[in-house]
Amino acid sequence: MKEKKAKKNQTTVRMNLLFVSVFFLFSMLILRLGVVQIVKGSQYEAEVSRTENVKSDNGNPPRGKIYDRYRNVIVDNVPMNAITYTSTQSTKSKEMLEVAENLSKLIDIDEKVIESINPRDKQDYWLLRNKEKAAELVTKDELAKLEANEEMDEDERNKKAYEMQLDRIPKDELKAFTNEELKVLAIFRQFNTGYALTPKIVKNKNVSDEEMARVSENLSSLPGVNVTTDWERKYVQDSTLRSILGKVSTTEQGIPTELVDDFKSKGYAMNDRVGTSYFESEYESLLKGKKEEIEHITKNGSVIDSQMIKEGHSGKDVYLTIDLKLQKELETIVEEELSKQAAKRWESPYLDRAYLIMMNPYTGEILSMVGKKYGHDKDGNVELQDDALGTFTSEYGVGSAVKGATVLTGYMTDSLAIGEPLLDEAIQIKDTPVKRSWFNQSRGAMYMTDKQALEWSSNAYMWKTAFKVAGVTYQKDQPMNIKRETFDTFRNHFKQFGLGVKTEIDLPGEADGLQGSEYKPGNLMDFAIGQYDTYTPMQLAQYVSTIANGGYRMQPHIMKEIREPNYESEKVGSLLYEHESKVLNRLDASEEEIYSVQQGFYRVAHGAHGTANNFANAPYDAAAKSGTAEAFYYAPERGKNLETYNTTLVGYAPYSHPEVSFAVVLPASHQDKDPYVNKTIAKRAMDKYFELKKEYEKKGYYSESTDKEVIETDE
């Protein structure tokens, strides 16, 4: 009995302890619930309902259009179907891959896009598709060693392990991808090109209506995919000005690698299309459109609401100083004369290009810039190609065209007086070959003034002017001490005209010419007649404009004005900016001195001995200066330089109040007999300019009204 009673008491104690423990635990639970609900209830409730506001830039607004000075469309945008993908902040790679697989069954992917897939893309894709195999590529011991490396943080360890996996992927597995798998990879790669909540272009070229319909019908099973309208840049005038208009990258190319940091700092996405060269690049900030700004309300990475903050808009429209009709007419003239003369291989075996620039000498507005050269198409066939770019990126010996600068340098250094006569004779410096003017052999020595020297294109007059600037006196068959400073004096004065210095045209990549490196007397003589240093065709145009307008070196420019795009009609938008003419410097010469050279240029075009008197009967009263320079053409097939001649011609009209100046350059135009193609091109070009001027006056093209209708030029 006593034992039974003792056991009963033990059981009672244990039950009491159990009840007390349970009571205590429930009390703690109730207390904890009270803290959660009463003390921190509002905090936890806020945490559960917490959302984030995230901003993103959406859409693909078209770039601004490019027009000529009379509102002819040069560069336009063509609308096209597009398929986009937008990921959220919480979208996993596995989910994106599944969408890519489903989408690949509905659309076609161009073979060129598939061929552009690089090895790293394939490696990343393989690791994503083969998780188990990927894990086996790095051993536990290797992972342990990485963990034991205290010098590396967690991210560095993971990066190192990932790199080890990439290096160890079997090469045969990467080569074994099927075309369907590569198609999925191409789509998946596009999914990863931009930021979360920002639409990425998956396909925007050759998207058929059938593809648009198939995708539209399956949007519910393609989270993040959408169908929309995109644009493609169209250069309306085919090859006209093509080399200077530049290029715009595709969505596949996105931002060029070397420009990523710069563009990303400006808010660009990696797959944004940007201007990559010349005009499209130079005016990127104006031409690019502004994406609409969207604010997304997200919860745990998922979007629960979105609203537009700012509307997007297309880029600004840019109007060029170029007269498109004149440009195309002059291109035809250059093509005809170049091809006709290049066919005469016995006269011009190395002639393969020609340049022609027209500009307003008072404003620096470039009316046309023509460059044509023979090149090879993608199939290797020879064709005439646009090389307007060469008007300011290539340099040549230009010959006597610069003699106006030589005479004015004589004036400006007080070495030569207006009207001063000098004897044109054969020049022979000791240990130097005899040099003479082109007419000296037949006519002998003769005195002539500065104006006559320009008309006849006297070399000897320019050489003696150079000697006067150098402070030396010529004596036959005697040595001559020419100091290097004389070269500096000449070059500094030539730069006042724009010769040997950048013209500051508003396009990138301008060349400034090449300077000779020796300083012998014969080199100075060559410099004075344009056969030592080299200059660009654009520098020649700036030089002759400086003489034409009375001594002001104007900055040449191709951008005329910027306007808002007009969405409501075919009329131009409101004016935002108009390029103001910029004077870079004024010649350190008097009006009388400049006028004296202008008179010399007039005699070149009208005098009996003028070297460009094919302008003599022109109704627009031109002034000009021709040039011929000894040059060399490098023949790669023969591995050496071959002797040839460059020919040039500069001028302006009307003489009394110039409204247009021009420069023509034909490198390697001939070997022996001058075919005068430079003069034919210049005369035909000026005739065409004044012919079109009359036509424009009748049509009222000179109106600057913002209400003027946009002109759709025939292609």
Side-chain angles (χ1 to χ4, degrees), residues 349-421:
Y350 311 120
L351 175 61
D352 66 349
R353 65 195 65 193
Y355 302 101
L356 167 62
I357 299 170
M358 278 192 173
M359 63 189 293
N360 183 318
Y362 285 97
T363 65
E365 291 184 340
I366 298 173
L367 305 177
S368 69
M369 48 193 307
V370 179
K372 293 293 176 180
K373 70 176 181 180
Y374 282 100
H376 295 87
D377 63 16
K378 59 182 180 180
D379 298 320
N381 300 314
V382 176
E383 65 175 2
L384 262 180
Q385 299 172 341
D386 177 74
D387 191 32
L389 184 62
T391 58
F392 61 93
T393 62
S394 60
E395 55 240 339
Y396 307 96
V398 299
S400 300
V402 304
K403 286 178 177 175
T406 300
V407 171
L408 274 161
T409 298
Y411 296 158
M412 290 187 281
T413 57
D414 295 325
S415 304
L416 182 71
I418 295 175
E420 181 176 348

Side-chain angles (χ1 to χ4, degrees), residues 34 69 83 137 256 309 366 388 399 452 478 502 527 602 607 622 642 691 706:
R69 66 187 298 111
I83 297 169
L137 295 176
I309 299 175
I366 298 173
Q452 288 175 311
Q478 294 299 309
K502 286 183 171 61
F527 181 94
Y602 182 85
L642 304 173
E691 176 189 323
T706 58

Side-chain angles (χ1 to χ4, degrees), residues 341 344-351 628-635 638 640-647 666-677:
Q341 185 60 36
K344 299 177 181 179
R345 305 296 294 174
W346 60 94
E347 287 185 356
S348 307
Y350 311 120
L351 175 61
T628 304
E630 296 177 359
F632 293 95
Y633 173 85
Y634 178 73
R638 299 176 65 176
K640 63 178 182 179
N641 289 317
L642 304 173
E643 292 184 1
T644 184
Y645 291 93
N646 301 335
T647 49
L666 276 91
S669 67
H670 65 285
Q671 280 196 297
D672 297 312
K673 181 182 178 182
D674 190 343
Y676 301 127
V677 180

Side-chain angles (χ1 to χ4, degrees), residues 291-508:
K291 297 181 180 180
E292 61 184 15
E293 192 173 324
I294 305 292
E295 186 173 62
H296 304 279
I297 301 174
T298 66
K299 182 175 180 180
N300 298 325
S302 299
V303 178
I304 59 177
D305 191 21
S306 298
Q307 59 181 1
M308 185 188 299
I309 299 175
K310 291 183 180 178
E311 291 187 1
H313 58 76
S314 61
K316 309 303 181 188
D317 289 342
V318 180
Y319 291 75
L320 305 185
T321 60
I322 296 290
D323 175 349
L324 183 58
K325 188 166 186 178
L326 175 66
Q327 174 75 22
K328 296 181 78 171
E329 292 282 3
L330 299 194
E331 284 185 357
T332 299
I333 290 171
V334 170
E335 287 175 355
E336 289 176 353
E337 297 300 333
L338 174 60
S339 59
K340 184 166 58 177
Q341 185 60 36
K344 299 177 181 179
R345 305 296 294 174
W346 60 94
E347 287 185 356
S348 307
Y350 311 120
L351 175 61
D352 66 349
R353 65 195 65 193
Y355 302 101
L356 167 62
I357 299 170
M358 278 192 173
M359 63 189 293
N360 183 318
Y362 285 97
T363 65
E365 291 184 340
I366 298 173
L367 305 177
S368 69
M369 48 193 307
V370 179
K372 293 293 176 180
K373 70 176 181 180
Y374 282 100
H376 295 87
D377 63 16
K378 59 182 180 180
D379 298 320
N381 300 314
V382 176
E383 65 175 2
L384 262 180
Q385 299 172 341
D386 177 74
D387 191 32
L389 184 62
T391 58
F392 61 93
T393 62
S394 60
E395 55 240 339
Y396 307 96
V398 299
S400 300
V402 304
K403 286 178 177 175
T406 300
V407 171
L408 274 161
T409 298
Y411 296 158
M412 290 187 281
T413 57
D414 295 325
S415 304
L416 182 71
I418 295 175
E420 181 176 348
L422 295 175
L423 180 63
D424 183 297
E425 60 181 322
I427 304 293
Q428 185 171 7
I429 301 172
K430 185 176 177 60
D431 300 325
T432 301
V434 176
K435 292 177 179 286
R436 53 168 45 92
S437 298
W438 65 273
F439 52 82
N440 177 266
Q441 191 81 44
S442 59
R443 289 181 174 267
M446 58 186 292
Y447 277 96
M448 56 176 52
T449 65
D450 43 9
K451 299 178 187 62
Q452 288 175 311
L454 289 172
E455 177 186 351
W456 287 64
S457 198
S458 166
N459 287 344
Y461 195 98
M462 305 303 146
W463 295 330
K464 289 193 173 181
T465 297
F467 297 155
K468 291 168 74 67
V469 173
V472 297
T473 302
Y474 167 71
Q475 290 183 333
K476 184 178 179 181
D477 206 24
Q478 294 299 309
M480 188 171 286
N481 182 25
I482 301 292
K483 296 180 179 179
R484 176 171 177 171
E485 287 75 15
T486 304
F487 287 85
D488 295 334
T489 297
F490 262 101
R491 283 173 176 148
N492 290 335
H493 281 82
F494 270 44
K495 287 177 181 179
Q496 293 186 36
F497 298 87
L499 296 170
V501 64
K502 286 183 171 61
T503 65
E504 298 190 25
I505 185 175
D506 55 338
L507 287 169

